[in-house]
């Protein structure tokens, strides 16, 4: 029989645990003396079941609540003095976070039964460990055929010092793919500099990308290195490259050809050794045909093409993704919310996710805050009566609604603070202002 792992938090030490709980045969027990130390251990080690021995009291209720929220994936069992039940704070803590509790003096057989039941319940919720975490792809969650094919592509292109062009729908994870390429490349120890080309003000694009010399224009009180120069020795990620004005495209083409840049107002060239990764949600080949993108720049960038699959093509990853984001944003959820109902999971699988992973994140965060029950329902996800039948214009309209909903949720979470909402959405303030105007959203 395999030994099960148990983390036990007791301020009285290991001897007190053995004296109080008896021999915990079949368990590999790690005894921790404080919540702070337990937090450190749980960040690096995996335990399905935890035992709280004399750790629940009114004096530390707030600290315990914060700790247990952060580690809600562990099945916690409490061992308490009966008098603890008289304190409302302690009772609330137990209702919100414990799967069971025992009062002193203990019935050792009952405690062993409870721990075994908690472990079995945790195993039902547990999912296979994603093998990608052992291969430097921690940021790319999933084990579907589409996502595994993406990892294979990344492994192939990462060691090669040639431009990469990533295509994918908005919210599908193009920047995560770029990060993975950088992390597995010879430039991994250098900086990763992301640039949202659509968010740069037209009048500042040249100076932001290439830098300027002191006195080159009014207000240039001192020299400044551009973003491309700051990526020397690392990777520069040009997101939404299709939004770059054509006059700047010619300057970028020169950098790709010569590996040099010239600051505004300078007469000398500066050599920059940086890997270039570009991304776009529009088909650049079509943009070239329509005269909106330089053909020569397109072929310079499209040396190693990669396509990030939309979420609707990797629905088998939804349970893993949902659990990942539930844990990532556990500090925001109501203490009573423990996970997803089976109906909620089915509703997510039926939805086509036109806003992709970004829509999924916002949907889950909203449900975690607004859910009334212990398990998130389809209604909490706003997916009640969901159908996956999207056709023609209906799909486009659904994507627009998903983007608008994501903006509204982020603004609400940020208290209408545009800067914080933009950071939450992963866009610049200028881009968010443009989207606010597009959807007529008042701040």
């Amino acid at each position: 029989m395999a030994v099960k792992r148990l983390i036990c938090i007791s301020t009285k030490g290991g001897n007190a645990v053995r004296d109080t709980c008896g021999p915990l045969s079949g368990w590999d027990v790690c005894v921790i003396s404080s919540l702070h130390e337990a937090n450190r251990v749980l960040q690096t080690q995996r335990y399905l079941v935890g035992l709280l021995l004399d750790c629940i009291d009114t004096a530390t209720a707030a600290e315990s609540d914060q700790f247990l929220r952060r580690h809600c994936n562990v099945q916690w069992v409490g061992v308490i003095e009966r008098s603890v039940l008289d304190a409302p704070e302690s009772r609330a803590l137990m209702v919100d976070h414990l799967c069971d509790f025992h009062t002193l003096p203990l019935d050792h057989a009952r405690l062993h039964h409870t721990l075994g039941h908690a472990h079995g319940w945790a195993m039902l919720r547990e999912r296979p460990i994603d093998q990608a975490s052992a291969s430097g792809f921690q940021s790319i969650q999933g084990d579907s055929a589409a996502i595994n094919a993406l990892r294979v592509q990344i492994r192939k292109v990462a060691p090669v010092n040639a431009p990469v062009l990533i295509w994918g729908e908005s919210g599908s994870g193009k920047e995560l793919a770029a990060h993975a390429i950088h992390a597995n490349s010879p430039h991994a120890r250098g900086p990763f500099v992301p640039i949202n080309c659509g968010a740069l003000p037209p009048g500042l694009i040249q100076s932001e990308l290439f830098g300027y010399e002191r006195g080159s224009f009014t207000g240039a009180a001192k020299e400044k290195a551009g973003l491309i120069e700051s990526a020397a020795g690392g990777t520069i990620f040009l997101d939404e490259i299709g939004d770059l004005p054509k006059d700047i495209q010619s300057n970028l083409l020169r950098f790709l050809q010569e590996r040099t840049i010239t600051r505004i107002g300078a007469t000398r060239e500066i050599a920059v050794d940086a890997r270039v990764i570009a991304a776009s949600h529009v088909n650049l080949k079509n943009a070239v045909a329509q005269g909106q993108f330089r053909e020569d720049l397109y072929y310079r960038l499209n040396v190693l093409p990669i396509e990030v699959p939309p979420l609707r093509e990797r629905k088998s990853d939804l349970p893993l993704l949902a659990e990942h984001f539930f844990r990532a944003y556990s500090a925001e959820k109501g203490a009573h919310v423990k996970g997803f109902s089976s109906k909620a999971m089915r509703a997510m699988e039926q939805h086509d996710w036109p806003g992709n992973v970004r829509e999924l994140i916002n949907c889950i965060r909203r449900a975690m805050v607004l859910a009334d029950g212990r398990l998130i329902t389809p209604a909490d996800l706003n997916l009640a009566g969901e159908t996956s039948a999207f056709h023609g214009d209906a799909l486009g309209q659904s994507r627009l609604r998903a983007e608008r909903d994501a903006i509204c949720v982020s603004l609400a979470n940020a208290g209408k603070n545009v800067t914080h909402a933009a950071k939450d959405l992963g866009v610049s303030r200028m881009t968010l202002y443009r989207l606010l105007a597009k959807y007529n959203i008042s701040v």
Side-chain angles (χ1 to χ4, degrees):
M1 181 179 178
V3 175
K4 301 181 288 288
R5 304 184 74 206
L6 172 71
I7 184 169
C8 178
I9 306 175
S10 171
T11 57
K12 299 177 181 178
N15 291 332
V17 174
R18 285 188 292 272
D19 294 342
T20 303
C21 302
L24 294 169
S25 56
W27 290 91
D28 176 12
V29 183
C30 173
V31 179
I32 303 295
S33 60
S34 69
L35 295 179
H36 177 75
E37 180 67 13
N39 183 61
R40 187 186 64 79
V41 170
L42 288 171
Q43 287 177 348
T44 57
Q45 299 184 42
R46 182 167 160 268
Y47 288 89
L48 299 181
V49 183
L51 184 64
L52 300 173
L53 183 57
D54 283 330
C55 291
I56 298 177
D57 56 61
T58 55
T60 61
E63 182 185 2
S64 298
D65 179 70
Q66 186 178 18
F67 170 82
L68 293 171
R69 280 176 183 269
R70 184 178 296 116
H71 302 292
C72 60
N73 55 309
V74 179
Q75 295 288 309
W76 294 102
V77 177
V79 175
I80 62 170
E81 294 283 356
R82 190 172 294 274
S83 59
V84 171
L85 296 172
D86 296 332
E89 297 92 338
S90 299
R91 290 202 304 273
L93 197 68
M94 294 164 64
V95 168
D96 288 341
H97 299 295
L98 304 189
C99 67
D100 205 344
F101 74 97
H102 292 257
T103 56
L104 296 170
L106 275 177
D107 180 330
H108 294 166
R110 285 189 61 239
L111 175 63
H112 290 194
H113 175 79
T114 297
L115 294 175
H117 180 74
H119 187 270
W121 185 254
M123 290 295 291
L124 285 176
R125 295 179 55 192
E126 194 69 7
R127 303 193 183 280
I129 299 174
D130 189 355
Q131 294 302 315
S133 61
S135 310
F137 290 88
Q138 295 91 332
S139 61
I140 301 179
Q141 298 288 323
D143 198 35
S144 62
I147 214 68
N148 283 328
L150 175 63
R151 290 195 187 99
V152 170
Q153 284 185 299
I154 290 173
R155 288 191 184 97
K156 289 179 179 179
V157 306
V160 183
N161 191 24
V164 177
L165 181 59
I166 302 174
W167 183 87
E169 295 178 7
S170 294
S172 58
K174 297 186 290 295
E175 186 166 348
L176 291 181
H179 267 290
I181 294 171
H182 170 72
N184 290 274
S185 75
H187 292 84
R189 293 191 176 184
F192 178 86
V193 180
I195 301 173
N196 188 330
C197 298
L200 292 173
L204 299 177
I205 293 179
Q206 180 83 7
S207 60
E208 288 292 317
L209 288 180
F210 299 98
Y212 53 82
E213 294 292 318
R214 178 182 177 182
S216 57
F217 54 84
T218 303
K222 59 180 181 180
E223 67 176 23
K224 178 186 175 183
L227 292 171
I228 293 177
E229 191 177 341
S230 69
T235 301
I236 184 167
F237 175 54
L238 299 167
D239 197 10
E240 300 306 345
I241 186 74
D243 292 339
L244 205 62
K246 292 193 74 172
D247 57 332
I248 304 298
Q249 291 177 22
S250 61
N251 293 339
L252 181 60
L253 177 64
R254 179 173 178 80
F255 164 65
L256 289 170
Q257 290 173 332
E258 308 295 336
R259 293 290 174 177
T260 62
I261 58 133
T262 303
R263 293 178 180 176
I264 296 176
T267 56
R268 63 184 179 88
E269 294 183 335
I270 300 173
V272 179
D273 177 25
R275 174 79 176 270
V276 177
I277 302 175
S280 176
H281 74 281
V282 300
N283 188 312
L284 291 184
K285 193 170 185 178
N286 293 340
V288 169
Q290 296 167 8
Q292 297 173 354
F293 198 81
R294 289 183 62 113
E295 184 176 21
D296 47 4
L297 178 57
Y298 169 71
Y299 287 114
R300 276 285 177 181
L301 292 171
N302 196 35
V303 179
L304 299 171
I306 282 183
E307 182 173 344
V308 178
L311 186 53
R312 64 181 174 274
E313 293 181 6
R314 43 179 296 216
K315 286 190 176 182
S316 60
D317 290 333
L318 276 168
L320 189 149
L321 288 170
E323 186 68 23
H324 171 74
F325 295 128
F326 185 85
R327 294 179 183 181
Y329 296 102
S330 59
E332 299 177 359
K333 73 181 182 66
H336 62 283
V337 181
K338 302 302 180 186
F340 300 90
S341 68
S342 56
K343 289 183 179 179
M345 293 305 305
R346 283 197 296 273
M348 284 192 280
E349 290 169 358
Q350 291 172 356
H351 186 54
D352 262 15
W353 301 106
N356 291 297
V357 179
R358 187 178 295 139
E359 180 190 0
L360 175 66
I361 292 172
N362 283 281
C363 192
I364 289 172
R365 291 179 69 183
R366 179 176 60 237
M368 289 167 65
V369 173
L370 300 179
D372 293 321
R374 291 173 65 86
L375 297 178
I376 291 172
T377 66
D380 298 326
L381 293 164
N382 201 26
L383 297 178
E386 185 62 48
T387 175
S388 59
F390 291 96
H391 300 285
D393 291 340
L395 179 57
Q397 291 300 317
S398 296
R399 288 176 180 164
L400 294 175
R401 284 198 302 271
E403 189 170 55
R404 192 182 195 284
D405 288 346
I407 294 168
C408 291
V409 169
S410 293
L411 281 171
N413 289 338
K416 296 296 182 77
N417 185 303
V418 174
T419 300
H420 293 167
K423 184 177 180 180
D424 180 46
L425 289 166
V427 300
S428 70
R429 289 174 68 244
M430 293 297 296
T431 298
L432 182 53
Y433 277 122
R434 190 170 70 246
L435 291 171
L436 292 174
K438 174 183 176 180
Y439 292 111
N440 195 26
I441 300 173
S442 175
V443 180

